[in-house]
Amino acid sequence: MIGGLFIYNHKGEVLISRVYRDDIGRNAVDAFRVNVIHARQQVRSPVTNIARTSFFHVKRSNIWLAAVTKQNVNATMVFEFLYKMCDVMAAYFGKISEENVKNNFVLIYELLDEILDFGYPQNSETGALKTFITQQGIKSQHHTKEEQTQITSQVTGQIGWRREGIKYRRNELFLDVLESVNLLMSPQGQVLSAHVSGRVAMKSYLSGMPECKFGMNDKIVIDKQGKTGSSEDAAKSGKQSIAIDDCTFHQCVRLSKFDAERSISFIPPDGDYELMRYRTTKDIILPFRVIPLVREVGRTKLEVKVVIKSNFKSSLLAQKIEVRIPTPLNTSGVQVICMKGKAKYKASENAIVWKVKRMAGMKESQISAEIELLPTNDKKKWARPPISMNFEVPFAPSGLKVRYLKVFEPKLNYSDHDVIKWVRYIGRSGIYETRC
Amino acid sequence: MTDSKYFTTTKKGEIFELKAELNSDKKEKKKEAVKKVIASMTVGKDVSALFPDVVNCMQTDNLELKKLVYLYLMNYAKSQPDMAIMAVNTFVKDCEDPNPLIRALAVRTMGCIRVDKITEYLCEPLRKCLKDEDPYVRKTAAVCVAKLHDINAQLVEDQGFLDTLKDLISDSNPMVVANAVAALSEIAESHPNSNLLDLNPQTINKLLTALNECTEWGQIFILDCLANYTPRDDRESQSICERVTPRLSHANSAVVLSAVKVLMKFMEMLPKDLDYYGTLLKKLAPPLVTLLSAEPELQYVALRNINLIVQRRPEILKHEMKVFFVKYNDPIYVKLEKLDIMIRLASQANIAQVLAELKEYATEVDVDFVRKAVRAIGRCAIKVEQSAERCVSTLLDLIQTKVNYVVQEAIVVIKDIFRKYPNKYESVIATLCENLDSLDEPEARAAMIWIVGEYAERIDNADELLESFLEGFHDESTQVQLQLLTAIVKLFLKKPTETQELVQQVLSLATQDSDNPDLRDRGYIYWRLLSTDPVAAKEVVLAEKPLISEETDLIEPTLLEELICHIGTLASVYHKPPSAFVEGSRGVQHKRLTGSAGSGESVESPDNGSAAGVTEPPPAVIPSQGDLLGDLLNLDLTPPTTTGPPPPTSSGMQMGAMDLLGGGLDSLIGDESEPLGGDLGGNSAMGTGFGAPPAVMPASFNAPASGGLDDLFDLGGGVGMPMGAFNPPKTVWLPAMKAKGLEILGTFVRRGGVIQMEMNLTNKAMSVMTDFAIQFNRNSFGLAPAGPLQILTPLSPNQSIEAALPLSTVGPVMKMEPLNNLQVAVKNNIDVFYFSCQYPISMLFVEDGKMERQVFLATWKDIPNENEAQFQIKDCHLNSDAASNKLQSSNIFTIAKRTVEGQDMLYQSMKLTNGIWVLAELRVQTGNPNYTISLKCRAPEVSQCVFQNYETVLKN
């Protein structure tokens, strides 16, 4: 299991050091600093073995988190734990920065004591933790006996993510379908790979212990219903259903129920959480098409023309569009003309960045640039990194639709109809690249 | 509230000041002071001097302060054990606190204080806490047992905590169950044989129930524990799998991978024809792919595991090639791993896509990645034959870029492609040679040298090229040196006339001027091969190489099985068994997959009849690239089953060894190029020397041996030196009457491991004879001319000429009657003449026919008695030693001698060129001229011949 956990700043100074096992000594702290943080070479692996001691690290901005062990631990678990640790810290004090870590070091020690015991991760749900690890340490003294048992049963219980007795005057639910669409396209416009990775993010402000059921246009479910329902119905809905390659759920979702009936039922945590993640690869709507044209004019000049076409309903608006056209390292000057938005050559990033604030569907726009090059005798050709694109669209590129989200609370006096529900779809670019 | 200020107090007399503050009456000030102490501790300052003062702050109702003091205690208790006792009271009191959080905190902290005296006090509170009414306390106490066990295992056993812990597996609270499982698993690891984790269907059922209810971490503990269970039958296996599969949809990758581990393991038990087996296979792919959209560090762990899974069950991901395409922004460690998996998944169906990708990657920036991409192209060529041509042309394109490391990498892989597809792509050699100068890495240089040596006959200036490498021989790496040595020997065997000097040079560089034993040994082996038996040398060095297998870098199957049992753990990341990186006893038990009865280890795709891997034999594991070049005699890639020529042992080396010791290189070249010349033909100057047998045993034999050599030659203590092999005198094979005036007298000799047919040809006709040629009919031991008959001058009337024809034993075989009969056809300008002759079987006795004593004994017993043949040799007047010496010169080796009642028993062995061993027991009685000989051989047919040979040798 995890033998120790260290947090360093970018210089390699220790901000937090918590040792759980006897086989990890102080020298481990230095070994990581010397061999990884101060190493000249780029990091070649997130797992490093130094003198039979293994170090797992993740970086958040310029803060290093390292878990140390001398045993054959579950490596996946260690990384999952490190991410979870980051989430918990972020939930308590925001961004993980040197200043924030130093400002909250007592809190961090307290958290580390709670969520790792002898190197075994324990309950790390922020919702539960916040009930008894507070920044006002004294407060925990004033729990009544009932409150105390409530805390402990929540931390250890089946529904460790939600406490009892939550009350809201207005029962509200916010559901965001957030998708990032990834594309790799050849210069000829052939799709080399494309997939959508999506998340269903929720904010629930519901009283009591509500039982929720979530439904979407999952092909498997729709097809099953189609068999029982009328054929016309099936044909109608069949078109709109999507094939989900795989999905994973927040621990509140009853997985065995999903496995058996493919229904998503759960008692939600209070506040923000991520209900599910999914991935689709079929029938993806690619919101933009990038058509690059690069021409080398002699050894010292490049002509680039890039056309972008929006491929969705003309009534919808895409936002925050950014096209990044890489330029060779020996670029000396760039002239750009674009029809829409603003374009700039950024020497430090070796790229022309073209930004368009808004663009409606079924439109096209274009940029052309002349790139002057310094003559070099470097034999190696320019690697021509792909043209990448960023955008945000108000629909789900996978075609996912929320069909229902039902809430039942048997004990309290409110029904599904009383809950105010908000649903929003946002499609963003993931890695959206076109080779040129 | 900003705590960061505590990090900046670096005034002088800090400890003193802190001491004062810790003893302050004000609570706030105390707390501030403890915070400062912890901050100092964090950055590595020694604040142990404050121990009593900090411990004094322990008695407080402020939970935050208490936790800070506990943190300090855990760090320094070990260095101040006596003072740590001061804290015991508080702990014991806290364990009785009405607040479960405080009870748990106390028991948790106490377990972390590794001081014997404290652990004694811990037992009672721990016992109570294990039975606490609050699950939070129980789950903490469960882990505490593991802590205590780590400090004092005996104490835990004596106190009966293990049983209590086992009871907790049936606890009503899932988290308590999970922690108990974790603690028991850890304790069980250090007691490999104990039946601690008594896993039976009932407990398994409890675990599976808890699995649905506990936290994500608890699920991991339970799944990891389940993976160690061996189901009783396939039914149970399936039912566990069914209950574990829902975990594949968990958001936590560790839960997913641990579930994959359980499924991969239990799948072994399922019959392959079961429907469920196929369903399960299909269910495994999506979650594995999903892992690739996790954070890069997790992707890395997932990819390392997928690498294992793909090797064990390629069918799972065979359609998922695209997801392993490298993204421009992937961290380098992810890119390299993806590339590895791409190669493993490459098949005829997707090769076009893969190649297009690889070509793209080869133009990227990161050197390691580019190299690996180039190497991957080569591997595709080897793996998918249909793509080989495209791969080669892609590699040529890449060579044209002239980017140094790309060129070098390309040459290394092209060498492998040559190995896989001989005589197919040699047209590219010219392009490769152009880039000779730019090669500065050993592996590339070695590969290029191999190519030049292997194709020496097609490269006009091969000798110049190799010579250019020879200049800096001692600066080269071992890999290059070895390869250069082999390449030059190859060149010499192919073009002997022009390269004598070169071969001499490299042999002396390798044997005399090098400190590297491998290089020296190889040098000597070549040297001796060339000097004793150039034909054999040719057979060995220029032997057809076994084709390389398509899969390289495969993990060795037993290791792979073990690693599959460790999916998700560090072992699966390192691809090493835990024992390789874990100290002590923990985790060093080797885990194995347990297959279902009968179907065993075989990995078959469920859809029998589909193309994938069903009919293919399991690929042989090839060592990594580096070893590829260290091919001793070019044969080390042969799997052990392939029979190659056995390396000559010292006992078989007498002749060559003597030459070596005496005359050194001169004699080597002097003696040895003769048969070689004959063998290769085309050198008229060499033919003339054949008549006179070269001085076999130079007088200088006893001259001081050059350093380091004597140990190499086991010239045998007891056995006297051979007196020269018996060679039967020439007899008339073909009378002039029968052959239109051509008379042939002939005999056979064996010299330096080479069988020669020596003939006197006399022209008794009236006209000149020319255009001699010779052919053998198929015969029992595959004797065949190793080269054409070297009679180059016309034979005028009444002229005699002597000719020696080296023979090989690799010709076609047919059993003759008698066994040693040889039918020969000789042709000249007049006609073709046929005759038959018999060769003494001793010609076929090889020089390394001396068996080890034990082996002899075992073999003798092993050969059935009906194979034994007994003969009498009459009228022989030698004593046993003389007989032994005489026989030894014909390569009949005496292994042991025993004297029983005035009767000497000689145990002898000999080995025929075709590998047949003959064992003999020769009984010599003093005063009795009649010897008795018993021969044992697995091929009893040869006994008669061997007996005759004994008779001839002993009587002459």
Side-chain angles (χ1 to χ4, degrees), chain A residues 1 14-18 21-22 26 42-49 51-60 69-77 79-81 83-84 99 102-106 109-110 113-114 117-118 120-125 132-133 135 137-138 140-141 145 148-149 151-153 155-158 184 191-193 195 197 245-251 255-256 258-259 277 279 379-380 383 385-386 431 433 435, chain B residues 1-4 6-7 35 38-39 41-44 61-64 67-68 71 74 78 98-101 105 108 114 134-136 139-140 143 146-147 150 173-175 179 182 186 212-217 220-221 224 245-247 249-254 257-258 283 286-287 289-290 295 297-298 300-301 322 327-329 332-333 357 360 363-364 366 368 402-403 405 566 568-571 573-574 578-583 586:
Chain A
M1 281 307 114
V14 199
L15 304 179
I16 298 286
S17 131
R18 176 73 161 93
R21 298 260 172 162
D22 205 32
R26 183 84 201 172
Q42 188 196 350
V43 175
R44 302 305 271 197
S45 160
V47 186
T48 322
N49 193 309
R52 287 169 97 81
T53 308
S54 298
F55 294 83
F56 301 76
H57 74 263
V58 300
K59 248 187 119 177
R60 285 289 181 271
T69 184
K70 282 204 158 185
Q71 298 172 31
N72 182 31
V73 298
N74 188 324
T76 335
M77 185 188 79
F79 279 122
E80 281 285 2
F81 176 79
Y83 299 137
K84 196 69 180 195
E99 208 193 333
K102 278 185 169 175
N103 277 338
N104 294 285
F105 85 96
V106 174
Y109 276 124
E110 204 176 334
D113 196 43
E114 185 60 42
D117 190 4
F118 202 39
Y120 289 105
Q122 304 293 305
N123 194 332
S124 50
E125 284 300 310
F132 66 104
I133 295 181
Q135 278 163 297
I138 313 122
S140 52
Q141 291 299 294
K145 182 138 196 224
Q148 285 162 5
T149 21
I151 291 168
T152 56
S153 70
V155 171
T156 59
Q158 286 186 30
L184 183 61
V191 177
L192 295 173
S193 73
H195 75 273
S197 55
D245 287 26
D246 188 37
C247 44
T248 58
F249 297 99
H250 185 271
Q251 58 169 322
L255 293 180
S256 13
F258 177 75
D259 195 55
R277 283 180 184 232
R279 183 167 45 84
K379 267 188 198 162
K380 195 175 185 310
I431 296 166
E433 293 177 337
R435 287 180 180 157
Chain B
M1 184 182 77
T2 58
D3 287 344
S4 59
Y6 304 116
F7 280 90
K35 282 187 181 179
I38 300 291
M41 192 177 87
T42 298
V43 296
D61 51 0
N62 183 318
L63 198 55
E64 191 187 7
K67 283 182 177 173
L68 287 172
L71 189 62
M74 286 188 268
K78 226 175 145 187
N99 185 342
L101 291 171
L105 177 67
R108 184 164 68 212
R114 306 177 62 91
D134 194 296
Y136 183 79
K139 71 113 185 163
T140 311
V143 176
K147 291 178 189 169
D150 194 39
N173 184 292
M175 195 158 175
N179 276 3
E186 180 169 339
N212 286 324
E213 294 165 349
C214 63
T215 64
E216 44 194 327
W217 314 115
I220 300 168
F221 308 152
D224 284 352
T245 31
R247 299 298 119 197
S249 308
H250 202 285
N252 188 315
S253 315
L257 261 184
S258 290
K283 277 196 175 169
V289 173
T290 297
E295 287 83 351
E297 291 87 1
L298 277 174
Y300 172 74
V301 176
K322 273 191 180 178
K327 293 183 187 132
Y328 190 74
N329 292 320
I332 182 68
Y333 49 82
E357 281 294 306
E360 196 73 36
T363 60
E364 280 221 27
D366 190 282
D368 284 350
K402 302 278 177 200
V403 180
Y405 53 85
H566 288 294
T569 68
L570 263 179
V573 174
Y574 294 145
S579 52
F581 59 90
V582 175
E583 278 166 9
R586 269 212 182 103

Side-chain angles (χ1 to χ4, degrees), chain B residues 256-257 260 264 284-293 298-314 316-318 320 323-324 337-338 340-342 344-345 555 560 563-564 567-568 572-573 575:
Chain B
V256 175
L257 261 184
V260 168
M264 283 291 287
L284 276 171
L288 288 174
V289 173
T290 297
L291 291 176
L292 298 184
S293 37
L298 277 174
Q299 280 188 48
Y300 172 74
V301 176
L303 286 164
R304 293 291 284 173
N305 278 286
I306 289 173
N307 200 327
L308 299 172
I309 293 167
V310 162
Q311 287 184 59
R312 182 76 193 162
R313 298 196 178 274
I316 294 177
L317 288 167
K318 68 180 173 201
E320 301 288 351
V323 299
F324 297 103
E337 292 306 317
K338 281 188 173 174
D340 243 1
I341 296 168
M342 279 175 71
R344 296 215 192 283
L345 292 177
I555 292 173
L560 181 62
L563 292 180
I564 289 286
I567 282 178
S572 73
V573 174
H575 289 185

Side-chain angles (χ1 to χ4, degrees), chain B residues 334-552:
Chain B
V334 169
K335 285 185 177 177
L336 293 172
E337 292 306 317
K338 281 188 173 174
L339 203 49
D340 243 1
I341 296 168
M342 279 175 71
I343 303 163
R344 296 215 192 283
L345 292 177
S347 68
Q348 204 184 329
N350 56 27
I351 194 72
Q353 265 185 326
V354 173
L355 262 184
E357 281 294 306
L358 291 176
K359 202 175 171 183
E360 196 73 36
Y361 303 160
T363 60
E364 280 221 27
V365 198
D366 190 282
V367 177
D368 284 350
F369 180 61
V370 170
R371 280 172 178 278
K372 199 159 184 175
V374 175
R375 197 161 277 211
I377 296 174
R379 286 227 235 149
C380 286
I382 288 164
K383 199 170 173 194
V384 186
E385 184 161 0
Q386 291 80 357
S387 75
E389 196 157 338
R390 240 184 308 169
C391 294
V392 171
S393 79
T394 309
L395 287 170
L396 282 180
D397 288 350
L398 290 173
I399 288 177
Q400 300 302 347
T401 62
K402 302 278 177 200
V403 180
N404 189 284
Y405 53 85
V406 174
V407 174
Q408 311 213 41
E409 209 61 46
I411 286 182
V412 172
V413 295
I414 285 180
K415 178 210 68 184
D416 290 344
I417 295 178
F418 284 171
R419 281 291 307 274
K420 172 80 180 177
Y421 310 109
N423 306 316
K424 220 166 164 191
Y425 300 110
E426 281 72 15
S427 52
V428 307
I429 289 176
T431 322
L432 303 186
C433 289
E434 284 166 25
N435 291 287
L436 208 65
D437 299 331
S438 62
L439 309 180
D440 53 13
E441 290 159 19
E443 201 178 351
R445 286 173 80 85
M448 192 64 218
I449 291 168
W450 182 88
I451 293 171
V452 173
E454 190 65 15
Y455 298 99
E457 67 273 26
R458 308 192 196 194
I459 305 171
D460 293 335
N461 58 345
D463 49 343
E464 283 170 37
L465 293 179
L466 292 177
E467 201 171 358
S468 70
F469 282 104
L470 208 53
E471 279 160 20
F473 189 76
H474 289 296
D475 302 328
E476 300 283 2
S477 73
T478 310
Q479 190 185 20
V480 179
Q481 290 177 334
L482 286 169
Q483 205 47 251
L484 195 53
L485 172 61
T486 305
I488 291 178
V489 171
K490 282 182 192 167
L491 174 69
F492 172 66
L493 290 169
K494 288 175 178 177
K495 299 182 180 173
T497 45
E498 309 124 57
T499 55
Q500 278 187 21
E501 245 177 79
L502 201 58
V503 84
Q504 279 184 46
Q505 217 181 328
V506 77
L507 284 175
S508 80
L509 278 172
T511 54
Q512 284 161 24
D513 301 342
S514 171
D515 295 331
N516 183 324
D518 287 345
L519 184 62
R520 251 186 1 225
D521 283 358
R522 193 188 290 197
Y524 280 129
I525 287 169
Y526 282 146
W527 195 332
R528 276 186 243 146
L529 261 177
L530 290 173
S531 58
T532 50
D533 191 349
V535 180
K538 209 171 172 185
E539 276 169 35
V540 170
V541 179
L542 301 182
E544 208 169 293
K545 276 159 281 298
L547 290 185
I548 57 175
S549 127
E550 57 197 47
E551 286 288 353
T552 45

Side-chain angles (χ1 to χ4, degrees), chain A residues 5-28:
Chain A
L5 207 134
F6 308 130
I7 302 181
Y8 301 83
N9 66 9
H10 67 287
K11 285 185 259 175
E13 291 164 352
V14 199
L15 304 179
I16 298 286
S17 131
R18 176 73 161 93
V19 174
Y20 293 95
R21 298 260 172 162
D22 205 32
D23 53 3
I24 301 299
R26 183 84 201 172
N27 51 357

Side-chain angles (χ1 to χ4, degrees), chain B residues 565-755:
Chain B
C565 299
H566 288 294
I567 282 178
T569 68
L570 263 179
S572 73
V573 174
Y574 294 145
H575 289 185
K576 283 179 188 159
S579 52
F581 59 90
V582 175
E583 278 166 9
S585 60
R586 269 212 182 103
V588 269
Q589 301 136 272
H590 290 276
K591 296 187 179 174
R592 285 292 303 267
L593 291 178
T594 37
S596 61
S599 72
E601 322 283 51
S602 63
V603 186
E604 287 169 344
S605 67
D607 40 347
N608 278 329
S610 85
V614 182
T615 48
E616 282 166 3
V621 176
I622 289 195
S624 67
Q625 291 282 341
D627 302 331
L628 266 176
L629 287 166
D631 50 346
L632 177 65
L633 305 177
N634 282 305
L635 275 169
D636 64 345
L637 290 181
T638 325
T641 46
T642 315
T643 46
T649 59
S650 50
S651 61
M653 274 300 149
Q654 288 139 339
M655 303 302 180
M658 284 173 235
D659 284 348
L660 250 180
L661 291 165
L665 245 173
D666 290 350
S667 71
L668 160 74
I669 299 299
D671 283 350
E672 302 315 324
S673 52
E674 286 168 4
L676 200 59
D679 160 35
L680 294 163
N683 188 340
S684 58
M686 287 197 169
T688 51
F690 277 149
V696 181
M697 241 182 303
S700 59
F701 171 67
N702 287 322
S706 55
L709 274 179
D710 19 12
D711 57 321
L712 286 173
F713 305 108
D714 168 28
L715 286 176
V719 190
M721 280 321 296
M723 296 165 290
F726 159 75
N727 294 321
K730 286 177 181 155
T731 50
V732 177
W733 282 347
L734 185 69
M737 304 267 292
K738 280 192 176 173
K740 302 187 178 165
L742 176 67
E743 186 187 69
I744 299 177
L745 281 81
T747 186
F748 294 89
V749 295
R750 185 181 177 93
R751 191 172 293 131
V754 182
I755 308 165

Side-chain angles (χ1 to χ4, degrees), chain B residues 220-279:
Chain B
I220 300 168
F221 308 152
I222 292 179
L223 287 168
D224 284 352
C225 172
L226 269 180
N228 291 327
Y229 176 64
T230 312
R232 286 163 310 168
D233 51 28
D234 52 324
R235 270 248 203 83
E236 193 186 3
S237 225
Q238 179 175 346
S239 83
I240 296 176
C241 286
E242 278 166 355
R243 292 178 72 179
V244 167
T245 31
R247 299 298 119 197
L248 294 175
S249 308
H250 202 285
N252 188 315
S253 315
V255 176
V256 175
L257 261 184
S258 290
V260 168
K261 166 164 59 190
V262 174
L263 296 174
M264 283 291 287
K265 242 193 118 176
F266 288 12
M267 251 169 116
E268 300 286 329
M269 305 265 300
L270 298 178
K272 312 276 178 288
D273 47 357
L274 199 70
D275 284 347
Y276 181 69
Y277 180 85
T279 322

Side-chain angles (χ1 to χ4, degrees), chain B residues 740-741 763-769 795-798 830:
Chain B
K740 302 187 178 165
N763 183 353
K764 293 197 170 167
M766 303 300 288
S767 57
V768 178
M769 292 179 180
L795 196 60
S796 352
N798 277 327
I830 298 163

